[in-house]
Amino acid sequence: MNLVFLGPPGAGKGTQASKVSENRGLPHISTGDILREAVAEETPLGVKAKAFMDSGSLVPDDLVVSIVAERLERADCADGFVLDGFPRTIAQAEALDATLEGMGRSLDGVLYFKVDDDQVVRRLSGRRICRDCGENYHVDFMPPQTPGVCDKCGGELYQREDDKAGTVRERLKVYYAQTADLVDYYRERGLLVDVDASLVPSAVREEVAASVGALEGKED
Ligand code: AMP
């Protein structure tokens, strides 16, 4: 199962991708997570990416495309993958097609997480993430048992710098300007599956599981 999870920031792609990854044993590849790790470790990639990320704009295509191409070559992707936050531009989508073609593979489906802007802003401004294990929470909709502490590992929860109000608006603008065209790109190729991402996480999870199941049926 070679899957892409597409949609605006805050649509729940990461939360759902990690569930599918857990249930199906497929690697969850989040370019945002890879880039944040590179920034934290101050690698050459991280140093180049930091300013773009802090301002809410996209990191240049060539940097991101090569990270993903390398990641897909690894052995754990042999049975498939869930790409979250990539591709984000038509150029990235074309590069992904070319990379997969070179491997004799192709995408099985693109799940499109649909949610409106007001909900994106509410979700992102309340989002908290565990510093240690990366688990996601929301102060109102998915609160941890103890405020500020991860239920899973006891790690400290923090708010991403780019989840603060001003940057969220910029990220939405960037989404409409550079990423939203991918909906048509994949619809035209018969790969798009709509997901109502405005529902509560458990309901979205069911819809996602059903969609992935249906794609698997198609593949057989
Ligand atoms: P995310 O965690 O997916 O919201 O990504 C956080 C930030 O990382 C984005 O605002 C971009 O600056 C950068 N980023 C993540 N994925 C990509 C991508 N596919 N192309 C360009 N920039 C990206």
Side-chain angles (χ1 to χ4, degrees):
M1 295 295 286
N2 303 327
L3 302 172
V4 164
F5 282 14
L6 174 69
K13 303 184 299 292
T15 302
Q16 300 299 337
S18 71
K19 298 292 175 212
V20 170
S21 157
E22 237 173 80
N23 293 341
R24 296 194 164 254
L26 299 175
H28 169 194
I29 304 173
S30 155
T31 43
D33 285 350
I34 295 171
L35 290 166
R36 273 185 292 280
E37 209 176 296
V39 170
E41 288 171 3
E42 297 179 14
T43 65
L45 167 70
V47 170
K48 284 187 210 147
K50 186 175 185 328
F52 296 104
M53 296 175 75
D54 284 348
S55 65
S57 37
L58 295 185
V59 172
D61 286 336
D62 54 340
L63 291 180
V64 188
V65 162
S66 58
I67 303 174
V68 173
E70 238 167 68
R71 182 65 189 84
L72 294 180
E73 294 284 353
R74 287 207 222 149
D76 64 342
C77 293
D79 292 332
F81 51 79
V82 184
L83 272 172
D84 158 21
F86 181 94
R88 256 178 159 100
T89 63
I90 297 281
Q92 290 180 16
E94 288 170 349
L96 176 63
D97 288 343
T99 300
L100 290 174
E101 203 183 315
M103 299 168 80
R105 298 169 67 171
S106 59
L107 288 177
D108 294 298
V110 175
L111 269 60
Y112 169 41
F113 288 67
K114 281 206 286 196
V115 61
D116 66 40
D117 293 359
D118 288 347
Q119 217 172 344
V120 162
V121 174
R122 262 182 280 134
R123 284 187 183 177
L124 291 182
S125 58
R127 175 159 75 176
R128 299 293 181 272
I129 299 161
C130 175
R131 242 183 236 294
D132 296 337
C133 74
E135 186 71 4
N136 271 251
Y137 296 88
H138 188 284
V139 289
D140 301 316
F141 313 137
M142 244 197 315
Q145 279 161 8
T146 308
V149 180
C150 178
D151 293 348
K152 269 196 169 170
C153 76
E156 181 204 357
L157 304 186
Y158 78 104
Q159 181 176 33
R160 268 169 53 175
E161 208 44 50
D162 63 351
D163 279 348
K164 294 181 180 165
T167 317
V168 166
R169 265 176 238 117
E170 181 57 27
R171 285 164 67 201
L172 262 174
K173 253 197 252 166
V174 167
Y175 172 77
Y176 287 112
Q178 301 189 60
T179 307
D181 285 347
L182 289 178
V183 172
D184 285 341
Y185 180 91
Y186 286 123
R187 209 186 289 282
E188 282 161 13
R189 285 160 178 76
L191 288 169
L192 205 77
V193 180
D194 292 285
V195 172
D196 181 356
S198 67
L199 307 173
V200 293
S202 56
V204 179
R205 186 177 174 174
E206 277 177 30
E207 205 179 320
V208 167
S211 303
V212 174
L215 287 171
E216 193 173 40
K218 247 197 211 168
E219 198 187 25
D220 290 340

